[in-house]
Amino acid sequence: MFSHLLPEFLVERRSDRCIKCRVCERQCPNGVHHYDPELDLMFSDESPCVGCQRCVVFCPTNALSVYPHPTTYRPNASWTREKLQDLKKQAETGGVILTGSGNDKPYRIYWDHLVLNASQVTNPSIDPLREPMELRTYLGRKPDTLEVEVCGDKVSITSRLSPNVPVETPILFSAMSYGAISYQAFVSLAMAAKEFGTLFNTGEGGLPREMREKFGQNAIVQCASGRFGVDPEYLNSAAMVEIKIGQGAKPGIGGHLPGEKVAANIALTRMIPEGTDALSPAPQHDIYSIEDLSMLIYALKEATNYEKPVSVKIAAVHNVAAIASGIVRAGADIVAIDGLRGGTGAAPKAIRDNVGIPIELALAAVDRRLREEGIRHKCSIIAASGIRCSADVVKAIALGADAVYIGSAALVAMGCTLCQKCYTGKCAWGICTQDPYLTRRLNPEIASQRLVNLLRGWSHEIKEMLGGMGINAIESLRGNREHLRGVGLEGWELDVLGVKGAGE
C-alpha cells in the first residue's frame, strides 16, 4: 500500500563538508544514509529517519543536520499534524499505535510552577563546602515509637525495627528490565548504583545470576504480573523487593516483550523458553483486593525472612491517595508512585497520552492522606516520572517523597535522545535493543561513569539548594511545603499541592 504519511524529519547534508567517510551509513540502523559508488556520492532517504541524532553526533565534519520536517498540512486547531498522521497510519496498518518514552503532551509540569525558599537574615544559610550536609536516606517502615536503653555511656535502641535500606542520595534508578534494555545498559545502571551507593531496579525481567553476588545489595528486584525470573534466590539476593501493580506510562495494562528479543541469556534470566513472547498480564492474577495484596506482601517477607523491605509500585490514577493508604495498611514498607510522564519501552500511544495524573498532584495527595491518617511513618514514598533535574528532586522531597526514581534521565545520560522508537529494537545508541551490532556501541565502563557523574552533579546541587534554605539534612525537608510556593497556578491546584501562592 502506498503510504500517505509525511516524513517526520528532514535530513540535510552539506556537500562542501561531506568527505564521504560513510560513518553516517554505519551508524544509522534505519537505513537513512547510503553511498552510491558509481556517482561517488552520499544520499539520504529521510522517510525512515527517527530523529535519534546519532549520525549528526558522529559526523566528523558536522556535515549533517536533522530537524523536524517543515512540511505540514493546512493548519487546523482540531486536526493537528499528529492527529492526521496517527489516523493515516492506522488506516494503513489497522493496528495499535505504539510509542516509547514518557508522555510528551503539554500537560502542566508542576515542577516548573513551584519555586523554592532561601534563607535571608534571620535564618542563615549553610555553606555546603564548609559544613557537613546529609543526603543519606533510609527507605522502609519506621517504628511508632523509639525506645532506648541507656547503660553508662552507651545508648542502645530496644524497639523492634523494620528493615531499612540506606542510600547515599535520594535518587534511585527506575525499573528497566533486561530484555527491554540491553545487557550493557542494564549492567551500566548496576555499576553506577553500586559505585554511588544507591539502588537500581531490575524491572520485571529478573536479575541475571552472574550479577547477583556483585550487584545484589544495590538491586531492587521486581515481582510483576508475569513473575519472570522470580525464585527464592532472586528475592534474597536483593536489597529490596518491589511488587509492580501499575506503571505510569501504561496504567491498567500489561506488557509484551516480543519473542525475537528473547535471546538465550534473557530466556535464562526470565525462566522462559528462548524465542517465546514474554507476556505480562494486565493484573496480578492473585490480587483482586487489598487482602490479596497483603497476602503477597507477607509471602515475600516470609520468603526473605523479614529482612527486606517490600515496596508496592502503582501508577498515579484518580484515587491514588486511598489506594496508597490501603497498600500501607496491607503491610507494604514502601509505596512507589509512577506519574503521567513515566517512561516506557513500548506502550499504546492512546494509553500513554491519556491515562493517569501528574506525579506532583499524586505525590502531594498521598503524603497528605497518609499524614492525616497517622500512618505516614509506616512507609517510605518513592516518586517517579518526569524527574529532569536536581531541582525537581528537591521539590519532590518537599512535597513528601523520601526518594525519587529516574528512568528517562538515566537513559539520556547514557546517550538516549528520546526519539520514542524503543519498541522497534533498533536503538542506534545501543540502549533499548538486543541487536549485538548495536549493543556493542554502549560501553558499560563509560556509561556507568556518565551515570555516576549525573548523580554526583545532582547531589552537589541538592546540597547547594538545601544550604540556601538553611537545611543541613534532606530529612528536614521531607514534606515541608513551607519551603515551596506556587507561581501561575489556580486555587484548586494550590489546594491539592498543599502550597501557598508566591507572595503569601
Side-chain angles (χ1 to χ4, degrees), residues 88 192 422 452 465 478 482:
K88 288 177 180 291
C422 323
V452 168
M465 284 182 271
R478 188 170 307 126
E482 277 299 309

Side-chain angles (χ1 to χ4, degrees), residues 74-386:
R74 181 187 178 89
N76 187 315
S78 178
W79 289 94
T80 60
R81 187 185 201 273
E82 182 183 1
K83 287 282 188 288
L84 284 167
Q85 289 279 92
D86 287 351
L87 192 148
K88 288 177 180 291
K89 194 178 295 181
Q90 289 192 294
E92 293 174 9
T93 64
V96 173
I97 297 176
L98 294 178
T99 188
S101 306
N103 188 311
D104 60 359
K105 296 295 169 288
Y107 294 112
R108 175 164 282 177
I109 299 173
Y110 287 93
W111 304 131
D112 296 338
H113 291 266
L114 293 171
V115 290
L116 293 162
N117 192 26
S119 298
Q120 301 292 301
V121 184
T122 57
N123 181 23
S125 55
I126 301 171
D127 186 346
L129 297 177
R130 292 178 171 82
E131 300 184 49
M133 304 290 289
E134 184 63 66
L135 296 189
R136 181 175 294 174
T137 301
Y138 290 85
L139 299 174
R141 178 178 293 247
K142 309 298 185 296
D144 293 336
T145 58
L146 192 63
E147 297 176 0
V148 297
E149 185 177 274
V150 180
C151 184
D153 295 337
K154 295 183 178 179
V155 179
S156 56
I157 299 173
T158 57
S159 300
R160 183 176 179 181
L161 301 178
S162 299
N164 273 243
V165 176
V167 288
E168 298 305 318
T169 186
I171 308 168
L172 323 178
F173 295 127
S174 193
M176 288 173 272
S177 67
Y178 173 38
I181 61 174
S182 64
Y183 185 79
Q184 286 82 345
F186 192 78
V187 169
S188 300
L189 293 166
M191 291 169 64
K194 183 179 176 67
E195 182 175 341
F196 206 83
T198 185
L199 302 172
F200 73 103
N201 193 312
T202 64
E204 60 178 327
L207 182 61
R209 292 185 184 278
E210 70 274 12
M211 292 178 62
R212 293 181 182 179
E213 184 175 351
K214 187 173 183 181
F215 299 110
Q217 288 311 301
N218 295 93
I220 301 172
V221 293
Q222 220 176 50
C223 177
S225 59
R227 304 288 159 86
F228 298 122
V230 177
D231 63 17
E233 184 192 337
Y234 166 74
L235 297 173
N236 283 289
S237 67
M240 187 191 303
V241 180
E242 183 172 87
I243 301 170
K244 177 193 169 189
I245 300 293
Q247 181 178 345
K250 42 186 176 181
I253 67 171
H256 176 201
L257 185 68
E260 54 265 30
K261 279 190 168 183
V262 183
N265 200 32
I266 295 172
L268 181 67
T269 304
R270 293 193 176 220
M271 298 193 291
I272 59 174
E274 183 179 346
T276 58
D277 288 4
L279 296 167
S280 303
Q284 299 244 2
H285 283 310
D286 52 356
I287 300 177
Y288 289 93
S289 66
I290 287 294
E291 290 76 14
D292 292 341
L293 174 63
S294 183
M295 288 181 65
L296 179 58
I297 290 171
Y298 281 97
L300 292 173
K301 289 187 175 184
E302 192 77 30
T304 55
N305 197 31
Y306 290 84
E307 295 175 348
K308 319 281 183 188
V310 175
S311 168
V312 175
K313 179 184 177 183
I314 55 172
V317 291
H318 297 175
N319 51 350
V320 63
I323 296 169
S325 172
I327 290 170
V328 177
R329 294 176 190 281
D333 304 302
I334 298 164
V335 179
I337 311 164
D338 197 8
L340 179 70
R341 292 184 295 276
T344 177
K349 193 162 179 276
I351 300 288
R352 189 201 68 170
D353 292 348
N354 296 284
V355 182
I357 64 174
I359 184 60
E360 301 93 324
L361 302 179
L363 171 60
V366 168
D367 181 67
R368 175 187 289 172
R369 173 76 176 247
L370 298 184
R371 288 178 190 275
E372 288 174 352
E373 296 183 358
I375 56 174
R376 177 63 183 87
H377 65 286
K378 292 183 181 293
C379 76
S380 294
I381 298 176
I382 302 176
S385 94

Side-chain angles (χ1 to χ4, degrees), residues 27-30 52 54 176-187 257-263 266 270 344-346 411 414 416 419 421-443:
Q27 293 297 326
C28 181
N30 298 298
C52 72
R54 177 90 182 181
M176 288 173 272
S177 67
Y178 173 38
I181 61 174
S182 64
Y183 185 79
Q184 286 82 345
F186 192 78
V187 169
L257 185 68
E260 54 265 30
K261 279 190 168 183
V262 183
I266 295 172
R270 293 193 176 220
T344 177
L411 296 180
M414 287 193 281
C416 171
C419 71
K421 303 296 182 186
C422 323
Y423 61 94
T424 64
K426 295 181 179 178
C427 176
W429 295 89
I431 298 170
C432 200
T433 177
Q434 303 305 321
D435 183 334
Y437 179 75
L438 298 174
T439 57
R440 282 198 294 268
R441 296 178 175 182
L442 192 71
N443 183 327

